[in-house]
Amino acid sequence: MANPQEKAWSDGYAVGKKGKPQTMNPFKKGGFMAAWQEGWQAGVKARDAAQ
């Protein structure tokens, strides 16, 4: 089972890959917010690369 920070990253990745805005981040501060943002950025890159 993934740890909570990995889950935050993968949730961010999924949102970014769907093209949703970064403002969808449910975390306002801390490590989870950073992990979510990293995932979101990776998702956006993956989406752009797929086009």
Side-chain angles (χ1 to χ4, degrees):
M1 176 123 181
N3 72 40
Q5 211 149 343
E6 287 172 357
K7 171 111 172 69
W9 189 96
S10 62
D11 288 352
Y13 181 86
V15 170
K17 197 153 187 200
K18 288 179 190 155
K20 304 263 194 243
Q22 193 168 7
T23 54
M24 303 269 299
N25 189 338
F27 307 104
K28 301 301 174 216
K29 61 183 178 182
F32 291 129
M33 183 193 81
W36 193 97
Q37 283 182 317
E38 285 176 23
W40 182 85
Q41 289 169 342
V44 168
K45 284 180 188 161
R47 182 172 172 261
D48 290 347
Q51 289 179 347

